[in-house]
Structure formats: C-alpha cells, structure tokens
C-alpha cells in the first residue's frame, strides 16, 4: 500500500527532528540503503504482523527509528492497509486562502448546477404540460361533431 502523504509527512517530520537532536541517530538516518518508502512499508509490515488495530504515536515512531538503526531487517514487503493520522495539520495563510477560494468556487459551481437542474426540471414540466394540453385538445376536437359551414351547402352549379 502507498502511505498517505500525510502519514509520510508525519513520520518524516519526526525522523528529521530526531536526527537533528540525536547525532547517533543522524548517522543511521543518513544510511544510503535506507529510505522513507521502505521505512513506511516496514511499519505497515510490523503493524500487520502484530494484529492490533491502534497504536500510540511513540510505538509507530519507535518502529521507524528501529528500521533506520538496524541493518539486518530482512525482506520488507509492501503491505495493503489504511492509515489514519490523528495529527492536526497547520496550514499557512496562503494555504488557508487557497483552500477558502477553492471552497467558494466549489460552492458557486454547486449553486449554479443546482439552479440549472431546477430550470431543466421546470422546463421539462412545462413541456409535459403543453404536450398533455395539446393531446387533450386533439382528443376533444376528434370527438366533437363537425359543424357545417355555408360552404358545405354550395354546389358547383351556382
């Protein structure tokens, strides 16, 4: 499974901070044969093997650190699963402004689409009423006896 970007960002932020504060870990974190994608797959693999559904942040972080510290991890397979991250993400002012603009644009699109749908439904009902009225008029005319006109009494001899 591909980890969500949010999950990757949380793990990466933790590892970056840990490496900045711990010189010994910084050496492990810089190993060329190690990478964040394999770290995420290792975490998924360990979580799946445990059979548990929920973990404390520190448990997940310790799995990430373990991946970088140990050289004999063994084969790491991609694992299917779903990640739920319970961290609050702070947005910059630009991101907030962009999100607001997207939300307003989406709202406007939805309103326009709703209005257009209402107009289409109203036009359809009007067309159905007109068709029904025309059919009723045709039926009345069909059943109505024909009224004679003066031309019916004229003959060719006149």
């Amino acid at each position: 499974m591909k980890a969500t970007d949010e999950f990757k960002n949380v793990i990466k932020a933790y590892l970056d901070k840990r490496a900045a504060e711990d010189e010994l870990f910084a050496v492990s974190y810089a190993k060329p044969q190690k990478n964040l994608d394999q770290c995420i797959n290792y975490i998924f693999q360990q979580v799946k093997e445990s059979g548990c559904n929920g973990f404390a942040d520190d448990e997940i972080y310790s799995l990430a650190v373990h991946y970088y510290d140990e050289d004999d991890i063994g084969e790491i397979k991609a694992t299917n699963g779903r990640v739920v991250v319970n961290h609050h993400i702070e947005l910059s002012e630009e991101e907030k402004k962009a999100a607001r603009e997207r939300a307003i644009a989406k709202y406007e699109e939805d309103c326009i689409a709703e209005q257009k749908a209402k107009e289409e439904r109203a036009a359809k009902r009007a067309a159905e009423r007109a068709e029904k009225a025309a059919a009723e008029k045709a039926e009345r005319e069909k059943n109505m006896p024909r009224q004679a006109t003066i031309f019916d009494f004229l003959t060719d001899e006149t």
Side-chain angles (χ1 to χ4, degrees):
M1 170 188 172
K2 284 234 169 213
T4 61
D5 289 336
E6 192 174 318
F7 180 70
K8 275 186 171 180
N9 291 340
V10 169
I11 297 297
K12 184 173 183 343
Y14 173 81
L15 294 172
D16 289 345
K17 182 179 177 199
R18 175 86 183 248
E21 296 171 352
D22 182 349
E23 292 177 15
L24 291 175
F25 178 70
V27 172
S28 295
Y29 191 48
K31 292 177 183 175
Q33 72 272 20
K34 301 287 185 166
N35 64 63
L36 186 60
D37 288 329
Q38 284 297 319
C39 176
I40 299 299
N41 285 332
Y42 174 73
I43 292 169
F44 286 171
Q45 183 175 316
Q46 294 303 306
V47 166
K48 184 176 180 183
E49 288 175 7
S50 76
C52 295
N53 291 326
F55 291 85
D57 292 349
D58 289 338
E59 293 175 292
I60 298 300
Y61 295 145
S62 69
L63 289 172
V65 170
H66 181 75
Y67 165 79
Y68 282 98
D69 282 341
E70 297 298 320
D71 291 326
D72 297 326
I73 294 284
E75 183 182 355
I76 299 174
K77 301 174 189 171
T79 304
N80 289 325
R82 190 171 65 142
V83 179
V84 177
V85 178
N86 63 353
H87 289 261
H88 176 69
I89 306 298
E90 283 295 323
L91 299 177
S92 69
E93 289 304 315
E94 294 89 26
E95 291 171 323
K96 289 177 184 178
K97 184 178 178 184
R100 178 174 166 72
E101 289 171 358
R102 284 191 306 271
I104 289 170
K106 174 78 169 109
Y107 177 74
E108 288 173 350
E109 289 172 9
D110 290 348
C111 288
I112 290 168
E114 183 179 336
Q115 183 63 31
K116 187 175 181 179
K118 284 181 182 178
E119 290 170 0
E120 288 174 357
R121 287 191 301 269
K124 183 179 177 182
R125 285 192 303 268
E128 288 172 351
R129 284 192 301 267
E131 186 179 304
K132 183 178 177 184
E136 289 173 353
K137 181 179 178 185
E139 184 65 29
R140 281 193 309 270
E141 289 175 356
K142 181 178 139 185
N143 294 334
M144 193 185 294
R146 186 171 157 321
Q147 185 174 359
T149 67
I150 192 163
F151 299 109
D152 291 335
F153 299 108
L154 292 178
T155 62
D156 288 333
E157 298 172 11
T158 359

